[in-house]
């Protein structure tokens, strides 16, 4: 309810986007394939390859990892939109912060830059936490008593304090100087791990942190390129959970986007329609995704996403 109320107040149009994609989206090695073919005896082409022309969609198809690319096309025609639906990741992550199937809320807004995107994310989190504190007092008291005694303080600080904003480079400098025994290295160019994210939000600043301008090599092809080998990406980190929102300003320049697709080793012919959004007229735009289960975990103090989802699907586990 709080999610939809927030976006209605800000004139965002809700979209229900299709959850099947036939494009070979970035990171396709971590996607679930959808097929009706007999996997023991699939039809073959004359060259011996699997003949996907005989499949249900007449080509390879995958469960989506995000509705973002489709939402961009709507945003460029309708200004501000958001989607809320199931997404799927096939990566083998057996951690308390990952699921193979989860729901994600993804706004996309035309004429937004990275700063606008970060402000929207901050306003959104504050709105939801304020709504929970005002309407779910008994529930929060229960979780504060039995799950996390610091929960009320954590949630109140989200509402009362402005979010800290730092660049990825500043984050690396803070982590490198930290008096902490990290399992993973904190060199410039390496991705931030959950231990780093939690440290920044809990120890370094004691409030949510927006980290921006990540190295281009560790981020997706569609993020807008800066002039210093970084991209206009952002992650919002919160105590206890780490990353709860990830997003970026999108690359609206056709030549830069085409070069990025090639540099990432992707087949540009599969992105013809996405490139056409730039080829035939575009605008600066940005968006992000928030994992709903992570938000529930954050507002309840629960430590494992499997405990806040009725039927969690994880690697080697899909009984229900």
């Amino acid at each position: 309810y709080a999610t939809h109320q927030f976006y209605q107040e800000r004139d965002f149009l809700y979209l229900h986007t299709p959850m099947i994609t036939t494009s070979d989206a970035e990171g396709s090695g971590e996607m679930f394939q959808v097929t009706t073919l007999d996997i023991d005896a699939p039809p073959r082409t004359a060259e011996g390859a699997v003949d996907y022309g005989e499949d249900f969609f007449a080509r390879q198809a995958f469960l989506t990892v995000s509705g973002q690319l489709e939402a961009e096309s709507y945003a460029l025609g309708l200004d501000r939109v958001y989607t809320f639906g199931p997404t799927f990741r096939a990566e083998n992550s057996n951690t308390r912060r990952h699921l193979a199937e989860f729901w994600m809320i993804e706004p996309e807004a035309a004429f937004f830059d990275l700063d606008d995107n970060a402000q929207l994310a901050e306003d959104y989190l504050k709105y939801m936490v304020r709504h929970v504190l005002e309407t779910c007092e008994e529930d929060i008291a229960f979780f504060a008593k039995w799950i996390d005694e610091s929960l009320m303080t954590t949630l109140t600080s989200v509402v009362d304090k402005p979010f800290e904003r730092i660049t990825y480079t500043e984050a690396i400098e803070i982590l490198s100087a930290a008096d902490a025994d990290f399992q993973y290295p904190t060199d410039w160019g390496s991705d931030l791990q959950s231990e780093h994210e939690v440290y920044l939000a809990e120890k370094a600043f004691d409030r949510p942190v927006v980290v921006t301008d990540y190295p281009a090599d560790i981020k997706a092809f569609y993020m807008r390129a800066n002039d210093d080998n970084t991209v206009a990406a952002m992650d919002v980190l919160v105590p206890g959970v780490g990353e709860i929102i990830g997003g970026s300003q999108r690359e609206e320049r056709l030549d830069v986007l085409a070069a990025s697709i090639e540099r990432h080793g992707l087949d540009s012919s599969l992105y013809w329609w996405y490139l056409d959004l730039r080829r035939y007229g575009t605008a600066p735009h940005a968006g992000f995704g928030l994992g709903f289960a992570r938000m529930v975990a954050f507002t309840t103090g629960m430590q494992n996403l499997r405990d806040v989802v009725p039927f969690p699907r994880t690697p080697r586990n899909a009984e229900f």
Side-chain angles (χ1 to χ4, degrees):
Y1 172 81
T3 288
H4 291 283
Q5 188 67 28
F6 173 85
Y7 286 116
Q8 287 169 4
E9 292 178 2
R10 285 157 179 79
D11 298 324
F12 276 72
L13 174 66
Y14 171 67
L15 301 173
H16 178 69
T17 56
M19 290 293 107
I20 298 287
T21 177
T22 55
S23 64
D24 188 12
E26 198 250 347
S28 62
E30 297 176 354
M31 297 176 68
F32 292 103
Q33 185 173 342
V34 177
T35 182
T36 57
L37 298 179
D38 182 349
I39 61 174
D40 293 322
R44 300 283 180 177
T45 64
E47 293 76 22
V50 175
D51 185 3
Y52 287 104
E54 299 296 322
D55 209 346
F56 185 86
F57 291 107
R59 60 180 300 171
Q60 279 187 291
F62 305 87
L63 293 176
T64 189
V65 297
S66 168
Q68 174 205 314
L69 301 190
E70 288 80 3
E72 286 187 51
S73 64
Y74 280 99
L76 291 174
L78 300 170
D79 189 17
R80 304 181 192 182
V81 300
Y82 74 99
T83 70
F84 182 27
T87 58
F88 305 87
R89 299 271 167 84
E91 58 186 327
N92 189 26
S93 297
N94 286 284
T95 76
R96 64 183 180 85
R97 300 170 64 247
H98 291 89
L99 297 171
E101 175 193 30
F102 59 100
W103 283 63
M104 190 151 61
I105 300 156
E106 297 179 275
E108 195 74 31
F111 308 106
F112 267 44
D113 61 17
L114 186 63
D115 288 336
D116 298 322
N117 208 32
Q119 189 60 56
L120 179 68
E122 179 173 348
D123 292 344
Y124 178 35
L125 286 176
K126 286 180 179 292
Y127 187 99
M128 285 193 292
V129 171
R130 186 181 297 111
H131 178 85
V132 168
L133 289 173
E134 292 174 353
T135 61
C136 307
E137 295 179 68
E138 292 185 4
D139 298 297
I140 297 303
F142 173 86
F143 285 108
K145 178 179 180 179
W146 297 104
I147 303 298
D148 180 2
E149 62 183 15
S150 64
L151 180 62
M152 185 64 73
T153 300
T154 299
L155 296 180
T156 302
S157 69
V158 171
V159 174
D160 293 342
K161 296 180 181 179
F163 289 12
E164 189 71 32
R165 297 196 189 186
I166 60 175
T167 65
Y168 167 88
T169 299
E170 291 171 329
I172 292 297
E173 292 172 352
I174 293 169
L175 294 168
S176 298
D179 183 17
D181 186 20
F182 294 126
Q183 180 181 355
Y184 295 94
T186 55
D187 300 325
W188 199 96
S190 61
D191 208 353
L192 297 184
Q193 303 296 320
S194 59
E195 59 178 348
H196 307 142
E197 297 168 348
V198 171
Y199 179 88
L200 290 170
E202 288 187 358
K203 304 296 184 182
F205 295 104
D206 188 30
R207 68 182 70 188
V209 180
V210 183
V211 182
T212 64
D213 302 308
Y214 283 77
D217 290 343
I218 62 174
K219 287 298 183 179
F221 74 92
Y222 50 75
M223 297 184 176
R224 195 180 200 279
N226 297 326
D227 296 330
D228 58 356
N229 200 34
T230 66
V231 290
M234 70 170 202
D235 287 334
V236 181
L237 318 178
V238 295
V241 173
E243 179 195 339
I244 197 167
I245 283 176
S248 72
Q249 183 175 341
R250 318 309 189 187
E251 183 56 77
E252 85 279 10
R253 297 164 294 184
L254 176 61
D255 57 337
V256 180
L257 179 60
S260 180
I261 289 175
E262 181 177 355
R263 187 173 64 254
H264 281 80
L266 303 175
D267 184 354
S268 61
S269 67
L270 298 173
Y271 296 93
W272 64 269
W273 63 274
Y274 191 66
L275 290 166
D276 278 359
L277 293 178
R278 281 74 175 167
R279 180 174 288 112
Y280 298 115
T282 188
H285 58 289
F288 60 76
L290 174 140
F292 184 69
R294 288 192 183 184
M295 188 65 197
V296 173
F298 176 61
T299 53
T300 58
M302 300 298 290
Q303 295 298 305
N304 195 318
L305 297 190
R306 304 179 195 206
D307 294 328
V308 300
V309 175
F311 301 102
R313 280 92 187 213
T314 59
R316 306 185 66 83
N317 175 41
E319 185 174 356
F320 298 103

